[in-house]
Amino acid sequence: MTHLPQEIIRRKRDGGVLAAEDIHSFIEGLTSGRVSEGQAASFAMAVFFRGLSIPERVALTQAMTQSGEVLKWNLPGPVLDKHSTGGVGDTISLALAPAVAACGGYVPMISGRGLGHTGGTLDKLDSIPGYVSQPDIETFRRVTAEIGCAIIGQTADLAPADKRLYSIRDVTATVESIDLITASILSKKLAAGLQGLVMDVKFGSGAFMDNAADARALAESLVLVANGAGLPTSALLTDMNEPLASAAGNAVEVRYIADYLTGRRREPRFHEVNVELCAEMLVLGRLASGIADARARIEDAISSGKAAEIFQRMVVALGGPADLLDHPGQHLKAAPVIRPVHAERPGTVQTIATRDVGVAVVALGGGRTRPQDPVDHAVGLTDLAGIGETVDRERPLGIVHARSEEAAEAAARHLRAAYGVGVGDGAVEPGAIVLERIGASA
């Protein structure tokens, strides 16, 4: 049977349900070039307005997964991963992968670069001198097997249909479709050959989904579709109404992780999210008897220094310095201008426009608005105040790391505008950091 692209588009445009073979044929054509860019754009717009049922989402995810290489693993433990929908100060991956590996899991994490106001794990890794963030597949396999985790960038061989469809969605105002977001995220994870996945779905002023209802809808879609495609998956809804870590940038976030893993500094908010996500992964991988047991195992992996040891071994295996955790300042680039940013008046932090904090980092040169933009790994923000904290002449809103005085002053203006500081309004309690679990241990 011939599956004409225009007929598939017409059926979806008119609200029909597509058969799995129609979807597979369309995606195969997208990969081979038989389906034109215009047809792909029309398909994306039809899906944007008409939506896909769960079986259609599963079929689309599987078709995009099978458009390229699908990794297979032969390891003595479960192959697990985590994916975050993005935010500010979200450097969890660098702490999570070695912690799960310390508990017997294997974490082949394929990460992305930052775009817009959100930071990218790959950009953070690129701030480590010598670290090869995009090795060949065989090196990726070897490091994962020997160390227990490897964090790298996406290769061209995995889910190429997703790469092509995303570039079309990006210029046709169809990025926001939950159906297409679901297939895009999960196709890459399925191609990585995972046996368990935990989704960190953010909501709030620094997330792509600014309210919990939209984030819940995305989380439910991801869990249903992933499980329907044969990948055991659960999701956590986590708060992004303030930066997750008190550092936002690239080298500054790697330094933050060095302090976190070695115990020099562990902020409760960041630690809670890391432990909860790690614990969920252990439950999915059957490495713990339940969520309480999983939490205890992760806490021990971090406090004992095992996670730090594994992280350091991973860095060395991928070309980085052997003493990065002990002496991060000797290896990570520092910005020439470092100075505090004070609030216009003392008071209590009531609100944070977290997206604007991320925009301040981008304006400093620490992020990009186009994929080809260069990134300055040294710049960023540190010691960011959180909701409920008192800021005054002793306690600044944060510290800016900039390339010039002019850039520092511009970032200071961004930061002051992002913070809502109240005077005499009483104490403010931050909201729950983990709002809800969907699937698995829920």
Side-chain angles (χ1 to χ4, degrees):
M1 178 180 177
T2 301
H3 305 275
L4 295 174
Q6 59 266 40
E7 290 304 310
I8 294 170
I9 296 165
R10 185 195 307 276
R11 199 169 306 133
K12 181 48 60 181
R13 181 201 68 186
D14 294 342
V17 175
L18 300 177
E21 54 265 31
D22 286 333
I23 293 172
H24 279 263
S25 173
F26 192 90
I27 295 302
E28 184 279 323
L30 182 65
T31 307
S32 68
R34 179 172 50 83
V35 169
S36 71
E37 192 166 296
Q39 288 171 322
S42 296
F43 175 80
M45 191 62 76
V47 169
F48 183 88
F49 283 112
R50 291 297 191 172
L52 297 174
S53 66
I54 293 298
E56 286 176 301
R57 293 183 208 180
V58 170
L60 179 60
T61 299
Q62 290 176 324
M64 287 165 58
T65 299
Q66 293 159 15
S67 68
E69 182 178 0
V70 178
L71 299 180
K72 297 190 185 307
W73 301 91
N74 182 20
L75 297 168
V79 181
L80 308 168
D81 199 2
K82 178 272 309 180
H83 181 83
S84 169
T85 56
V88 178
D90 181 9
T91 190
I92 286 286
S93 294
L94 302 189
L96 171 145
V100 171
C103 295
Y106 288 83
V107 187
M109 185 176 286
I110 298 171
S111 59
R113 297 197 182 279
L115 190 62
H117 74 283
T118 65
T121 299
L122 195 55
D123 295 319
K124 295 162 196 175
L125 294 171
D126 283 342
S127 72
I128 301 173
Y131 191 100
V132 180
S133 61
Q134 293 183 282
D136 58 65
I137 288 291
E138 286 313 308
T139 300
F140 181 42
R141 287 180 175 279
R142 177 181 56 78
V143 174
T144 300
E146 291 177 0
I147 311 297
C149 63
I151 310 175
I152 69 162
Q154 184 182 1
T155 74
D157 299 326
L158 300 179
D162 169 65
K163 189 173 183 180
R164 183 160 187 231
L165 185 58
Y166 185 86
S167 67
I168 292 166
R169 288 167 54 212
D170 195 32
V171 295
T172 56
T174 53
V175 169
E176 296 85 354
S177 163
I178 282 182
D179 307 320
L180 297 176
I181 290 171
T182 298
S184 178
I185 290 171
L186 293 179
S187 61
K188 292 188 285 287
K189 295 302 181 183
L190 283 160
L194 303 181
Q195 296 165 337
L197 172 67
V198 175
M199 291 297 310
D200 180 6
V201 181
K202 305 288 189 187
F203 67 92
S205 64
F208 285 109
M209 302 289 184
D210 60 6
N211 67 79
D214 288 344
R216 186 177 296 108
L218 175 58
E220 289 172 347
S221 174
L222 288 160
V223 169
L224 283 170
V225 172
N227 282 285
L231 174 57
T233 298
S234 63
L236 269 60
L237 262 59
T238 65
D239 177 81
M240 188 45 74
N241 281 303
E242 59 182 292
L244 182 56
S246 62
N250 294 298
V252 295
E253 288 191 44
V254 174
R255 186 159 192 162
Y256 179 94
I257 286 299
D259 289 344
Y260 174 82
L261 288 174
T262 57
R264 291 189 291 265
R265 182 183 188 185
R266 285 195 187 124
E267 295 174 346
R269 178 179 166 83
F270 181 90
H271 183 64
E272 180 183 346
V273 173
N274 186 42
V275 169
E276 292 304 308
L277 288 167
C278 288
E280 201 73 19
M281 291 171 71
L282 296 193
V283 171
L284 275 177
R286 301 186 179 181
L287 293 169
S289 59
I291 199 71
D293 177 42
R295 286 188 188 115
R297 288 171 185 261
I298 290 297
E299 290 279 8
D300 179 67
I302 295 169
S303 62
S304 68
K306 246 179 115 177
E309 178 191 343
I310 288 174
F311 178 84
Q312 184 61 76
R313 288 174 58 207
M314 178 190 75
V315 168
V316 171
L318 288 167
D323 60 345
L324 177 68
L325 290 187
D326 291 332
H327 305 288
Q330 292 181 13
H331 301 287
L332 301 171
K333 288 182 179 177
V337 178
I338 301 174
R339 62 180 177 88
V341 178
H342 291 281
E344 292 178 352
R345 57 181 182 174
T348 302
V349 176
Q350 307 281 322
T351 60
I352 303 174
T354 310
R355 179 184 294 265
D356 292 343
V357 175
V359 169
V361 175
V362 174
L364 283 166
R368 55 172 65 80
T369 55
R370 300 175 304 163
Q372 65 268 34
D373 287 346
V375 166
D376 186 339
H377 294 112
V379 302
L381 303 166
T382 57
D383 294 297
L384 292 165
I387 291 174
E389 278 196 67
T390 297
V391 290
D392 50 31
R393 295 314 298 173
E394 297 297 320
R395 175 54 168 123
L397 295 173
I399 297 174
V400 62
H401 300 244
R403 195 50 65 183
S404 66
E405 287 291 347
E406 293 78 11
E409 185 51 45
R413 289 195 298 271
H414 273 294
L415 202 58
R416 290 190 190 100
Y419 273 77
V421 177
V423 180
D425 293 328
V428 179
E429 289 294 327
I433 181 66
V434 179
L435 180 69
E436 190 176 338
R437 280 184 154 79
I438 295 171
S441 67

